[in-house]
Amino acid sequence: MGASSAVSLVRFGVGTSNHELRLKKWTRRLLWLDTRKQFRCCADMLAPIRQSEERRFEQKTSAHGAGIKPSSSAMPFASPKSRFVSKQEKFYLRCTPRLTGPQSRDTPPKRDTGIANEKDWGIDLLNENVNESGINEDGSTWFRESGQDLGENGYRCRWTRMGGRSHDASSEWTETWWEKSDWTGYKELGVEKSGKNAEGDSWWETWQEVLHQDEWSNLARIERSAQKQAKSGTENAGWYEKWWEKYDAKGWTEKGAHKYGRLNEQSWWEKWGEHYDGRGSVLKWTDKWAETELGTKWGDKWEEKFFSGIGSRQGETWHVSPNSDRWSRTWGEEHFGNGKVHKYGKSTTGESWDIVVDEETYYEAEPHYGWADVVGDSTQLLSIQPRERPPGVYPNLEFGPSPPPEPDQPQ
């Protein structure tokens, strides 16, 4: 017999035999244990749940020769809802009051971290319209809201927005998650965040993942992109990065990045791109340069094109002094596919070479990270459910007048 049944017996005045006296004693013990459990739960609510797990960005990058390669760094912001939550933490979360503010995210993004996978963001959209706010014990404020927007052609955008501000307004942050879909099969998952901290650093970042049908090939295509920028509050320093990746179901792949940075009197730029046609043809290029306020400039660029073991590489390294003196060295390679390579080059200081050597040709005809990889890492994007389409209603498909332009390439 459970505690509730025992309480009912006592409440209705059933006789007090030895059996019933023992029952009363067990009832009091069960109620004490239950009260103790509730007290421990409420006490644990006051202790912050340890959020020490850092999200790691595992990016498969391909070689860019002389270009700078994105590094695999720890993402600086913790996931608002980790996918690896322990049983103990789940118990604490059930005891947490509903009006608990989101965890502060007043940390700028890191450079050269490329495009994160969707799991690294921990996007968890609410299934109801929410508009709530509060004040924490330290005087900081927070808000959280969610909803959905509807439009023509079955368009739907579900979104969640959250943010916070310190008690003295020296630091603040906002973060928005969304998913979009329509009746054409278009699906989109995205994040935008911005903020500033007490040191005066400010930043902005956006990330998107898109599934759609290519209007020229009718093939499914997944595109991922990220933009990041940050500015120091203590010195003349800041940076901006734009990354993009495009994949289709037949192996066509395009990747690239544009970067800019400044640290006091020095500025630098970098652009690189990769293009695989899915049939063995590959184009890669990198162009980077830097300059100082005194007038010194330097840079390096290269390009390679290959198909079926035949192709070429060429590049240039250059330097300009403050008094406009220029030095440069150009070089090139012709690969004939038969073990012979023609190498040539010259410089402004009188260097020159023109030789044919026996050398194996090596290049990457396929990307390290391709269609199968991006599909496997896009489960949340692919699981987006569009609005139900009424019978007899068909999506409006609009096709552009011409194919999309090729990405920027060095001249």
Side-chain angles (χ1 to χ4, degrees):
M1 182 180 295
S4 60
S5 300
V7 172
S8 300
L9 288 174
V10 175
R11 181 180 302 165
F12 287 100
V14 179
T16 55
S17 64
N18 290 335
H19 172 73
E20 291 164 350
L21 287 173
R22 288 195 300 270
L23 190 57
K24 287 182 180 180
K25 185 183 295 184
W26 278 106
T27 299
R28 287 194 297 271
R29 185 172 182 182
L30 288 171
L31 290 175
W32 178 80
L33 288 172
D34 186 60
T35 303
R36 185 183 179 191
K37 178 181 177 182
Q38 293 179 8
F39 173 77
R40 290 183 60 189
C41 178
C42 294
D44 288 332
M45 282 165 47
L46 302 178
I49 299 174
R50 186 177 182 183
Q51 300 287 347
S52 61
E53 177 183 338
E54 292 184 348
R55 291 174 294 137
R56 297 282 178 177
F57 167 45
E58 300 176 356
Q59 182 185 18
K60 299 179 181 178
T61 59
S62 56
H64 303 126
I68 300 175
K69 300 180 182 179
S71 61
S72 235
S73 307
M75 294 297 291
F77 358 88
S79 169
K81 182 176 181 182
S82 171
R83 296 180 183 270
F84 304 99
V85 181
S86 67
K87 292 183 179 180
Q88 186 179 21
E89 287 177 344
K90 287 180 179 178
F91 173 73
Y92 291 156
L93 289 172
R94 287 199 297 271
C95 297
T96 304
R98 174 173 175 80
L99 290 179
T100 298
Q103 184 181 1
S104 176
R105 298 170 179 80
D106 59 353
T107 305
K110 289 187 177 181
R111 293 181 53 223
D112 281 325
T113 49
I115 305 175
N117 288 330
E118 60 182 31
K119 64 180 180 181
D120 298 313
W121 284 104
I123 299 172
D124 188 11
L125 296 167
L126 302 177
N127 291 321
E128 56 186 357
N129 291 337
V130 170
N131 190 349
E132 54 191 17
S133 60
I135 302 177
N136 300 314
E137 292 183 358
D138 61 359
S140 60
T141 59
W142 60 269
F143 74 90
R144 177 168 45 215
E145 55 189 7
S146 66
Q148 70 173 358
D149 303 322
L150 305 179
E152 297 180 353
N153 212 25
Y155 171 84
R156 177 169 63 183
C157 174
R158 298 176 57 229
W159 54 269
T160 295
R161 184 180 297 112
M162 67 196 84
R165 177 181 294 181
S166 62
H167 70 283
D168 59 358
S170 62
S171 65
E172 61 183 16
W173 63 274
T174 59
E175 185 164 338
T176 304
W177 303 334
W178 69 84
E179 67 172 36
K180 300 179 181 179
S181 61
D182 64 22
W183 292 335
T184 68
Y186 179 90
K187 297 182 180 182
E188 177 182 320
L189 197 64
V191 175
E192 182 175 2
K193 60 179 295 179
S194 61
K196 66 175 184 178
N197 58 26
E199 290 73 33
D201 303 326
S202 59
W203 64 90
W204 170 82
E205 180 176 7
T206 185
W207 171 92
Q208 285 179 282
E209 191 173 52
V210 173
L211 168 70
H212 68 99
Q213 183 179 10
D214 181 69
E215 60 188 33
W216 301 104
S217 65
N218 290 327
L219 293 173
R221 176 178 288 190
I222 293 179
E223 301 182 5
R224 306 195 307 177
S225 62
Q227 295 186 67
K228 313 173 190 183
Q229 67 180 35
K231 183 177 180 181
S232 172
T234 58
E235 56 186 346
N236 185 16
W239 56 273
Y240 167 81
E241 295 179 353
K242 178 181 180 181
W243 301 74
W244 68 90
E245 299 174 355
K246 302 178 182 181
Y247 308 86
D248 79 9
K250 281 195 172 182
W252 178 93
T253 303
E254 179 184 296
K255 304 181 182 183
H258 291 177
K259 308 178 189 180
Y260 163 78
R262 180 179 180 87
L263 178 58
N264 297 322
E265 74 282 353
Q266 180 175 320
S267 301
W268 66 90
W269 295 260
E270 181 185 357
K271 297 181 179 182
W272 62 263
E274 299 179 0
H275 185 277
Y276 304 84
D277 71 351
R279 299 186 297 272
S281 178
V282 58
L283 165 66
K284 295 183 180 181
W285 60 271
T286 293
D287 189 2
K288 54 184 180 178
W289 67 100
E291 64 181 38
T292 69
E293 291 182 349
L294 297 178
T296 303
K297 302 178 182 180
W298 64 97
D300 179 76
K301 61 182 179 180
W302 61 267
E303 177 188 89
E304 69 174 33
K305 299 178 181 179
F306 281 96
F307 177 72
S308 296
I310 301 174
S312 63
R313 291 189 177 104
Q314 58 186 9
E316 178 185 13
T317 302
W318 57 272
H319 178 273
V320 178
S321 66
N323 58 7
S324 299
D325 291 336
R326 179 180 175 85
W327 170 88
S328 70
R329 175 186 290 123
T330 58
W331 59 271
E333 297 179 356
E334 293 179 293
H335 293 253
F336 303 112
N338 58 1
K340 302 290 185 180
V341 179
H342 175 210
K343 297 187 175 184
Y344 58 92
K346 63 181 180 179
S347 73
T348 54
T349 56
E351 296 176 284
S352 65
W353 62 96
D354 192 335
I355 59 175
V356 176
V357 299
D358 295 324
E359 185 176 289
E360 293 185 5
T361 296
Y362 174 78
Y363 68 99
E364 295 166 340
E366 297 180 356
H368 284 128
Y369 188 95
W371 174 255
D373 302 294
V374 74
V375 169
D377 288 334
S378 303
T379 54
Q380 188 171 357
L381 172 72
L382 300 177
S383 65
I384 294 176
Q385 296 298 318
R387 290 165 57 189
E388 184 176 352
R389 181 161 52 89
V393 177
Y394 301 97
N396 179 24
L397 301 176
E398 296 183 358
F399 296 95
S402 61
E406 290 294 323
D408 293 338
Q409 298 181 11
Q411 300 298 322

